[in-house]
Amino acid sequence: MTNAHDVGARPGRALLLLPVQAVLIAALGLLVTGPLAHHWPLSAEDDVNRALADRRAPSATSLTDWLSLVADTQTVIGLTLLCVLGLLLVPRAPRWWEAGFLAVAVAAQSAVFLLVTLVVNRDRPDVPHLDGAPPTSSFPSGHVGASAALYGGLAVLAARHLRGAWRNLVVGLLLLVPLAVAFSRLYRGMHHPSDVVAGLLNGACTLLVVGAALLPNARKGEAEPEPAARGARRAVVVRHPHACDDGTAARVRAVLRGHGYAEQWWTDTTPEDPSGGLTPYLTGTGADADAAGPAGQVDPVRPVEPLEPVAPLGPVDLVVVCGGDGTVRACADLVAGTGTPLAIVPCGTGNLLARNLGLPVEPVAALREALSGRAVGLDVGRIRGDGLAPTRFAVMAGAGFDAAMVRDASPRLKERLGWAAYVLSAARHLRDPRMRLSIRLDGGAPLERRARMVVIGNVGALQGGLPLLPEARPDSGRLEVVLLDPRGVTGWLAAAGYLASRAPVRSRASGTRERTAAHGALEYFGAARVDLSFARPQPRELDGDVLPAGTRLTAEVEPGALRVCLPAPTRIGAQDRTGREVEEHGHRDARTAAR
């Protein structure tokens, strides 16, 4: 998943979607107050308001009074100004783009709200009101929209800068505020349920549009450290040309120089070669400078596009990958087993490996922290199948529902919405037929199953930390497998609820560690080798890249085969099990280098 974050090159373009957003929400309001008003569930809204009004209690009234206060106009404006000033006054590193994101999101939400109220005229619920009613339409809820823009925006910024348990706690609490405000507006008789839903929609869409316009530019002007006196070292940088823009590349170059990598060779990926012709740089067998052209034509510290690979005479000290999971996978396939450390600069749509390893989501910050830590030996999976040449993966391989979702995600939506485009693609495949498959673990007896998807993972968390494979660790010496087989709406809800709860897994058997969860919608296994066969050809994917459909997959773990630069264990946070275990069992790196 290596789609570009090139919206940053056109920071104002995405903002043109705000008028479209206003029109769509206004049209929704006209439907709610017109043709759909007497149809369920809108016809039941008055019953909801009356039920809440009848059950008011002093304690709940006091709580909702406070919730309404944190979302009223004066509070939102005041908090926004304080947060913007705080971002601009950060010592030595003012965050101009992030401050602009927060201010524009709150202001744009208010503008859309006012425009919609000019078009949609809806009376407030016919129950006693606990607040004074301003002379505006009840649709949409301004309090809810403002809280979604402000506190949701702060959650976005917290997710960019915090890690580990603190990140989950702070982001979760901030995202709860708009939901609590929505309930308070219903409880206090100020809005219909559809009004608060439209308010949440307005705030969320505003964050999405403004974030796409401004956040890719965040920290673009941040100063990089001066070169350190560490002795000249050599690095090759594999760059996805669309995912890693020129500004990011310049900052990557400066960070590498600051960590002593005075000699740098840059190479771009292509659709035909997603590793950017990395092999000559690892072996030092590429052409010398004379083969590239006249003297002085090639500068090893600037990105170059030679007709033939230009590699140093001898292996490099570091491989840096600027791209998404697909680019990282292609490079890891070549680097694994060589002992050469690999540093990840996450520039793609999902960046699942970087997230699972506790790296910051901001590309240059991830590189800076990784180079300040140490190289750690991690597992990779080696996979083969009908129509597939043997190759390695670092994140997950799958077949069925997830592969179809990856295959059919719109490239344009991935560019605009990021990983959210996969959610839209997934909705199209919720009713796909189940597949018949056979699974064999570590050469044991085949297990016959039906499922909608099967995933083999080296790491376990999806976007937002969703633990698809709770026991997967990149240093466990095993691969984890999950079969997803929900039955109907209740099955999907049970599976989603189980994953969202992050409930601990209960082992049912030793050896292969078979276990089920969510009333049978999820079934887990663990093994060093996994053989899958399907009754019919199924779509397949590998670290977010689509593979040809087929009927077989075989995956084996290669323990400690890939050395990855990671932050110091004390800085990785809640996801630093990798770093701690390698510190405690510190001979793995030596074994990896020996291989």
Side-chain angles (χ1 to χ4, degrees), residues 147-527:
S147 65
L150 173 58
Y151 300 105
L154 291 174
V156 170
L157 298 183
R160 291 170 63 87
H161 296 291
L162 300 179
R163 294 182 300 281
W166 275 112
R167 177 188 182 191
N168 296 333
L169 177 63
V170 172
V171 171
L173 290 175
L174 287 170
L175 292 179
L176 281 176
V177 174
L179 298 177
V181 170
F183 173 78
S184 75
R185 302 307 287 167
L186 295 176
Y187 177 89
R188 300 178 72 80
M190 304 307 298
H191 290 285
H192 306 275
S194 56
D195 300 337
V196 300
V197 171
L200 289 171
L201 183 64
N202 183 27
C205 289
T206 303
L207 288 177
L208 188 64
V209 171
V210 178
L214 301 183
L215 285 185
N217 297 274
R219 299 175 66 183
K220 185 170 282 189
E222 180 180 334
E224 301 295 350
E226 292 297 322
R230 305 184 185 185
R233 290 183 285 180
R234 303 190 293 180
V236 57
V237 183
V238 179
R239 174 195 181 197
H240 190 294
H242 300 298
C244 178
D245 60 29
D246 291 341
T248 301
R251 294 167 61 215
V252 166
R253 194 177 308 120
V255 170
L256 288 171
R257 285 201 302 266
H259 284 80
Y261 293 95
E263 297 183 47
Q264 300 172 30
W265 284 263
W266 287 68
T267 177
D268 283 355
T269 67
T270 65
E272 296 76 21
D273 188 352
S275 70
L278 180 59
T279 300
Y281 298 91
L282 295 173
T283 61
T285 59
D288 58 24
D290 291 338
Q297 179 175 328
V298 176
D299 185 341
V301 300
R302 290 201 299 268
V304 294
E305 297 181 1
L307 296 178
E308 298 292 338
V310 179
L313 299 178
V316 294
D317 301 298
L318 176 71
V319 173
V320 181
V321 184
C322 302
D325 288 318
T327 305
V328 173
R329 186 208 65 76
C331 294
D333 184 31
L334 300 177
V335 175
T338 66
T340 303
L342 182 143
I344 301 171
V345 180
C347 298
T349 302
N351 304 314
L352 289 181
L353 181 60
R355 293 174 187 272
N356 276 272
L357 296 179
L359 290 168
V361 295
E362 202 282 323
V364 180
L367 177 63
R368 187 185 298 109
E369 293 204 13
L371 295 182
S372 299
R374 61 188 295 267
V376 179
L378 302 181
D379 306 339
V380 293
R382 187 171 182 85
I383 199 161
R384 63 182 186 274
D386 53 318
L388 302 178
T391 187
R392 295 181 174 95
F393 67 96
V395 183
M396 299 176 186
F401 171 79
D402 70 316
M405 173 191 70
V406 171
R407 180 194 63 197
D408 295 337
S410 165
R412 179 172 296 181
L413 286 180
K414 286 194 291 184
E415 180 178 342
R416 297 299 183 190
L417 303 180
W419 64 268
Y422 293 103
V423 178
L424 299 178
S425 177
R428 299 166 51 191
H429 293 283
L430 290 177
R431 303 187 67 178
D432 284 359
R434 302 159 69 205
M435 57 184 176
R436 293 170 50 200
L437 71 149
S438 172
I439 178 171
R440 187 190 297 266
L441 305 166
D442 290 333
L447 305 174
E448 303 298 326
R449 293 292 189 271
R450 286 182 179 268
R452 295 188 183 275
M453 86 174 184
V454 56
V455 172
I456 305 170
N458 186 44
V459 295
L462 301 179
Q463 290 288 346
L466 193 70
L468 180 64
L469 292 159
E471 290 192 0
R473 298 290 185 273
D475 60 347
S476 65
R478 298 174 67 88
L479 297 171
E480 299 297 325
V481 185
V482 61
L483 299 179
L484 176 68
D485 189 27
R487 308 292 178 86
V489 175
T490 56
W492 283 105
L493 292 176
Y498 175 81
L499 294 176
S501 69
R502 307 184 184 204
V505 180
R506 300 177 181 270
S507 296
R508 297 202 318 169
S510 58
T512 61
R513 300 189 298 174
E514 302 170 30
R515 53 203 179 270
T516 60
H519 307 292
L522 295 164
E523 187 173 10
Y524 294 95
F525 308 91

Side-chain angles (χ1 to χ4, degrees), residues 25 69 78 86 102 137 198 251 331 341-342 407 495 502 527 536 561 571:
I25 295 180
L69 178 64
L102 194 62
S137 171
R251 294 167 61 215
C331 294
L342 182 143
R407 180 194 63 197
R502 307 184 184 204
R536 295 181 179 180
R571 300 174 64 187

